[in-house]
Amino acid sequence: MKDVTQLTEGWNLRHGRELLPARVPGCVHTDLLAAEVIPDPFLGLNETEVAWVGRREWTYVTDVSHDSGHERTDLVLDGLDTAARITFGGREIGTTRNMHRTHRFDVTGTTGELEVRFASAYDEAEAVREVTGDRPNVYPEPFQYIRKMASGFGWDWGPTLVTAGIWRPVRLEHWSTARLASVRPLVTVGERTGGVEIRLRVERTDRGAGRDLLARATVAGQEAQVRFEGDEAVLRLTVERPRLWWPRGYGDQPLYDLDVTLLDADGELDTWHRRIGFRTVELDRTADERGSGFTLVVNGERVFARGVNWIPDDVFPSRVTPERYRARLGQAADANVDLVRVWGGGIYEDDAFYDVCDELGLMVWQDFLFACAAYPEEQPLRGEIEAEARDNVIRLMPHPSLVIWNGNNENLWGFRDWGWEPELAGDSWGEGYYLGLLPRLVAELDPTRHYTAGSPWSGSWDHHPNDPDHGTHHSWEVWNRQDYAEYRANVPRFVAEFGWQAPPTMATLRRALPDEEPAPDSPGMLHHQKAEEGNDKLNRGVARHFALPEGDFDRWHYLTQVVQARAVAAGIEHWRSHWPVCSGTVVWQLNDCWPVSSWAAIDGDGRSKPLHHELRRVYADRLLTLQPGEGAPVLALVNQSATEWRTAVTLRRLEAAGATLDRSVQEVAVPARSVLRLPVLPGLVPRAHTAEEFLVADADGLRALYFPVTDKDFSYVRPAFDIALEPVGGDGGKVDVVVNAHTLVRDLLLQADRLGPDARADRGLTTLLAGEQARIRLDGCDGVTEDDVRAALFCVGAK
Ligand code: BMA
């Protein structure tokens, strides 16, 4: 039977004449940080100070001895970042130039010092650029010439921290006769049965060449066996009436253990285990009178995808533990998210990520790793890209959560729109990957899964790649140039990216900028804002709705967060209300990779911005929304649940001071998985010119608000409310903040992190009408007083 020796202990990093203790998996920045050679690059302006690290060579060493008695010993490296020369026992055993793939070397009989010497990623990239020639890129760094996490070179939300190191596990595998080289389960669902076809490939030792090999597989109490003719074999299993795996909100997530064993006459040689799930996924791109859609159909059920974009959760991804994946993806699930898009400027995440998605019912859209640049198709890149795609398709295909592969992020769009086409003058730019190599590999290796060539992509060159009427669309004009109300100007078929920035929570800012009293344009704030004209866009977004607060950072911080939440909500409420024309929204972005002002809903320290709470409301199965319409607003009831929604909707036209001007109650029935749109009757439409009237809709505890003018034009009555603290029994540290409103109190927010770094509130922006009460549960803050809470409470119209 195969034996494994993990090689995670005893590593050192050479730094000048010193040997520093090193972590494997890990990276040079975190090792230097632990040894106090560099300051924390996440704090203040330190990022710039540690830029030298990315320009150097770095060497990792350890001593390895082994004596297994097996015919073969392989050194297996799951991830080297990136350009490395490996020597073992004084002999060079190989070189690598791709962070995204696994490497395996035959090291039978070798012991002694194992050394991994990394070149600077810049040197490697420049050397490749010399060979391939120059290509256009949205960012000024050479990431498209090296197979390394692109966003580590800096992004419009990420620092430039070009690291190196052994970022995934390393081990010795000792084996005799044969081992399982690849196992590819193809899972299908028929009328009453589930099918598992397992395509196997083995590698044999010289002695194993002629031996009889057998493979056995079990799933759900079923067993199958096959004898190898050569090095490949196929096993087929049928499961009667399997329980289906569903996206969250649609059903359960039953997972089945699939075990494969390789044997010869003397016994077991190797084993493999994964959990699989039975579900079908189709992608409906049928043309209709409006264009062509992009609808995921799971187990025959058409779904509106409630998505978020995922970036690496740490610019040093080796720091992201399974627990951290679970926490972050749990936050996505808490926000009623059901689809996570792993964005192409990051990494193929660790298996732990996809395991959690399988369990939580989060559908995964996986980009191949190409983003925002023209990529040369010449060697040495082409061979690396094929190897990397093979590795990762085979590794990830057992996961039922994985629903679609996507060729790249924004490169087809960039070619057409961003001046690349003329600049390239016929040079390769990646089209051969997205429309050739990658779909061919998916069809060969993972034929049950869909592939789309890019995001955005209209399905062919017949239409502009970002045509909202065809396929996937990225909606960036609104954040870049307009007001969020403009999201309502069109109904794309599937919005794969759109978003709005806001700074992180105060506790995160305070930790990241320890030496600074933050102001919108203080040095640290500007350093932790990477987007082009980011602060101008933040200010513009606020100024369209509110008087821009001068010299009041707390208010600016609150208002930018309000605008972020409102902006994303405006997009989602509008687009969901146009289901099934639009069949998905994927918010840019769920998470951050360090403390920064960005589009993220959850900041770099894992704290929720108000947007995170808002997502829970706008992504719930049932959504009540009021949308501006022609003449009168439209009431839309979105029912994504499996049952009819019967309810009575109360509509009230109210005055700022509280008086009810008109009222109606309407009985409605919204069929399952559908939307009901009703024009608001004339008597209920607030008169805009008074700047004093607004509309409220209530149904089943859900509420929608409609203000015909912006906040800065609205005649708010000065908000007045009382608060009281009620301790909550049980495990301590919990308190309810009970708020009683005497006037309209709009977008009330308790910034819990101001009460203590671990404090959390269970709700975000809350609007109360005069006479209403809200209960905000606070967790993780002992001994807070009413005054503390008051100082952490904000609402609009107050100043
Ligand atoms: C899209 C993404 C990212 C970027 C984001 C915000 O283009 O694909 O490249 O970070 O917008 O600008």
Side-chain angles (χ1 to χ4, degrees):
M1 182 69 176
K2 184 167 95 179
D3 270 340
V4 174
T5 317
Q6 297 296 341
L7 296 183
T8 41
E9 303 297 323
W11 286 89
N12 286 294
L13 170 65
R14 285 210 183 108
H15 177 51
R17 288 169 191 285
E18 276 181 278
L19 272 187
L20 307 176
R23 253 180 195 274
V24 169
C27 72
V28 58
H29 282 87
T30 49
D31 290 334
L32 293 175
L33 186 59
E36 296 180 5
V37 174
I38 58 167
D40 186 341
F42 283 15
L43 305 188
L45 312 185
N46 291 346
E47 175 201 350
T48 334
E49 239 172 84
V50 305
W52 59 272
V53 176
R55 303 272 170 189
R56 297 265 177 101
E57 285 191 3
W58 295 100
T59 303
Y60 283 82
V61 285
T62 188
D63 276 315
V64 177
S65 62
H66 61 95
D67 178 18
S68 70
H70 272 288
E71 291 167 34
R72 258 286 282 277
T73 296
D74 292 344
L75 174 67
V76 183
L77 304 121
D78 283 342
L80 290 180
D81 178 10
T82 290
R85 186 171 297 278
I86 306 158
T87 36
F88 189 14
R91 175 174 73 93
E92 182 176 314
I93 58 167
T95 58
T96 73
R97 48 166 26 123
N98 189 344
M99 170 186 184
H100 306 304
R101 60 180 284 208
T102 296
H103 294 90
R104 175 182 290 270
F105 302 100
D106 179 353
V107 295
T108 310
T110 310
T111 56
E113 190 182 66
L114 174 59
E115 181 192 90
V116 187
R117 176 187 292 262
F118 292 97
S120 154
Y122 284 105
D123 292 344
E124 161 73 11
E126 293 306 341
V128 172
R129 193 207 302 249
E130 285 286 301
V131 175
T132 63
D134 205 23
R135 298 290 191 287
N137 180 343
V138 170
Y139 294 98
E141 299 262 324
F143 62 78
Q144 76 267 53
Y145 308 101
I146 181 168
R147 296 310 294 159
K148 175 170 169 60
M149 182 175 95
S151 54
F153 287 89
W155 218 259
D156 55 4
W157 35 259
T160 303
L161 291 168
V162 179
T163 198
I166 304 171
W167 78 291
R168 281 192 165 151
V170 191
R171 62 190 168 276
L172 294 174
E173 290 188 6
H174 316 282
W175 53 283
S176 299
T177 307
R179 66 174 189 94
L180 289 165
S182 77
V183 180
R184 289 187 293 119
L186 273 48
V187 182
T188 51
V189 182
E191 267 299 284
R192 283 166 180 205
T193 56
V196 188
E197 177 178 316
I198 308 162
R199 303 199 179 158
L200 300 167
R201 206 167 53 73
V202 292
E203 183 186 0
R204 298 172 189 255
T205 61
D206 292 344
R207 292 218 332 248
R211 289 187 69 125
D212 268 354
L213 295 178
L214 198 73
R216 183 193 303 142
T218 56
V219 70
Q222 304 298 308
E223 187 175 310
Q225 285 202 6
V226 66
R227 193 166 295 281
F228 280 80
E229 319 266 345
D231 292 342
E232 292 185 6
V234 178
L235 275 162
R236 288 193 182 81
L237 286 149
T238 304
V239 177
E240 295 296 327
R241 296 181 189 279
R243 294 180 58 222
L244 296 183
W245 184 96
W246 288 95
R248 59 184 299 106
Y250 283 77
D252 295 338
Q253 290 77 42
L255 299 170
Y256 289 82
D257 289 304
L258 173 61
D259 286 283
V260 177
T261 310
L262 178 70
L263 311 104
D264 70 357
D266 299 332
E268 293 189 359
L269 299 170
D270 199 355
T271 57
W272 177 99
H273 169 261
R274 294 284 188 286
R275 291 177 311 171
I276 59 164
F278 293 92
R279 88 286 180 282
T280 60
V281 180
E282 292 148 66
L283 180 62
D284 184 356
R285 308 197 210 201
T286 315
D288 53 30
E289 68 286 354
R290 302 185 61 127
S292 46
F294 188 91
T295 307
L296 289 163
V297 186
V298 183
N299 300 328
E301 194 77 65
R302 306 171 70 78
V303 303
F304 179 98
R306 294 169 278 193
V308 287
N309 280 281
W310 171 276
I311 63 166
D313 206 52
D314 193 317
V315 68
F316 307 124
S318 53
R319 280 203 291 214
V320 183
T321 57
E323 295 72 37
R324 186 156 152 192
Y325 276 126
R326 192 168 286 281
R328 196 72 64 245
L329 291 164
Q331 287 173 306
D334 284 345
N336 290 317
V337 163
D338 60 20
L339 179 140
V340 179
R341 170 180 173 224
V342 181
W343 166 78
I347 54 175
Y348 303 100
E349 298 287 343
D350 193 78
D351 282 303
F353 173 95
Y354 305 91
D355 284 342
V356 175
C357 292
D358 290 344
E359 290 168 20
L360 294 181
L362 291 167
M363 295 181 279
V364 177
W365 156 327
Q366 177 70 50
D367 283 11
F368 286 99
L369 303 185
F370 304 91
C372 299
Y375 284 75
E377 292 174 39
E378 287 74 26
Q379 295 292 20
L381 293 171
R382 192 182 181 84
E384 288 298 333
I385 284 163
E386 171 157 359
E388 148 199 338
R390 285 185 180 278
D391 261 18
N392 288 288
V393 170
I394 293 171
R395 177 168 73 90
L396 302 183
M397 63 186 281
H399 293 279
S401 54
L402 179 59
V403 295
I404 190 165
W405 294 103
N406 170 45
N408 73 85
N409 176 72
E410 296 188 342
N411 296 347
L412 299 157
W413 184 14
F415 173 75
R416 181 46 52 89
D417 248 12
W418 302 345
W420 300 357
E421 191 168 356
E423 192 180 331
L424 284 159
D427 281 349
S428 71
W429 57 276
E431 185 181 23
Y433 300 140
Y434 320 133
L435 294 169
L437 177 71
L438 297 172
R440 205 161 60 238
L441 290 178
V442 171
E444 174 199 327
L445 298 169
D446 188 18
T448 72
R449 244 179 217 97
H450 286 276
Y451 171 86
T452 181
S455 188
W457 180 231
S458 58
S460 76
W461 287 116
D462 293 346
H463 306 282
H464 185 284
N466 201 29
D467 186 334
D469 293 330
H470 295 272
T472 49
H473 176 71
H474 289 192
S475 178
W476 282 114
E477 278 303 293
V478 178
W479 154 255
N480 282 321
R481 274 167 275 280
Q482 305 168 340
D483 177 39
Y484 63 71
E486 294 303 315
Y487 283 131
R488 304 192 186 106
N490 66 7
V491 182
R493 308 310 298 264
F494 189 105
V495 188
E497 278 185 17
F498 76 107
W500 205 275
Q501 273 204 355
T505 60
M506 274 309 279
T508 300
L509 275 182
R510 294 256 176 233
R511 189 185 78 82
L513 308 176
D515 305 322
E516 169 171 317
E517 199 41 54
D521 56 356
S522 57
M525 283 298 289
L526 290 180
H527 189 78
H528 290 246
Q529 162 62 277
K530 300 292 190 184
E532 205 184 319
E533 296 168 22
N535 260 24
D536 296 343
K537 292 173 189 175
L538 279 176
N539 286 331
R540 208 164 62 213
V542 171
R544 283 193 165 108
H545 296 267
F546 303 94
L548 200 59
E550 298 292 341
D552 183 347
F553 180 74
D554 289 343
R555 185 107 197 119
W556 178 85
H557 173 261
Y558 160 72
L559 289 177
T560 50
Q561 292 196 335
V562 168
V563 172
Q564 179 192 37
R566 283 201 198 170
V568 172
I572 294 175
E573 290 183 42
H574 163 65
W575 291 318
R576 277 190 84 191
S577 79
H578 284 280
W579 159 260
V581 175
C582 177
S583 55
T585 49
V586 190
V587 176
W588 188 268
Q589 69 213 61
L590 175 71
N591 57 335
D592 266 331
C593 67
W594 78 314
V596 66
S597 290
S598 84
W599 298 263
I602 297 165
D603 75 21
D605 282 357
R607 296 192 179 92
S608 301
K609 298 187 200 174
L611 170 60
H612 181 221
H613 294 279
E614 194 65 356
L615 285 178
R616 188 186 316 144
R617 180 179 73 81
V618 293
Y619 272 164
D621 269 357
R622 289 176 175 177
L623 169 69
L624 190 66
T625 175
L626 283 162
Q627 296 291 315
E630 291 195 6
V634 171
L635 173 74
L637 291 99
V638 180
N639 178 20
Q640 201 164 337
S641 77
T643 52
E644 185 187 49
W645 181 16
R646 276 182 176 279
T647 189
V649 186
T650 306
L651 281 164
R652 280 179 288 168
R653 178 159 66 95
L654 298 180
E655 227 173 19
T660 303
L661 301 169
D662 207 345
R663 185 172 187 278
S664 84
V665 180
Q666 203 170 343
E667 302 279 338
V668 296
V670 194
R673 319 260 195 237
S674 69
V675 178
L676 181 68
R677 294 174 65 89
L678 300 168
V680 170
L681 298 176
L684 288 159
V685 178
R687 292 171 303 164
H689 68 273
T690 69
E692 279 187 356
E693 297 181 9
F694 64 107
L695 181 61
V696 183
D698 288 290
D700 286 341
L702 305 179
R703 169 167 287 175
L705 293 163
Y706 172 82
F707 287 78
V709 297
T710 64
D711 294 72
K712 62 181 177 189
D713 294 327
F714 192 72
S715 306
Y716 284 110
V717 172
R718 194 174 171 76
F721 56 87
D722 289 328
I723 61 166
L725 304 196
E726 289 182 9
V728 179
D731 47 359
K734 284 196 184 129
V735 149
D736 273 354
V737 178
V738 183
V739 184
N740 284 300
H742 307 307
T743 62
L744 167 66
V745 179
R746 193 170 176 202
D747 287 333
L748 182 75
L749 178 68
L750 176 52
Q751 293 193 347
D753 59 286
R754 288 178 184 267
L755 303 171
D758 298 323
R760 281 168 204 279
D762 70 344
R763 56 199 293 176
L765 302 175
T766 304
T767 294
L768 298 174
L769 306 179
E772 289 185 337
Q773 185 181 82
R775 194 171 275 272
I776 307 171
R777 176 140 312 171
L778 268 179
D779 200 350
C781 51
D782 284 320
V784 283
T785 65
E786 249 177 60
D787 285 347
D788 298 335
V789 170
R790 273 208 171 266
L793 273 171
F794 297 82
C795 69
V796 307
K799 284 203 174 176

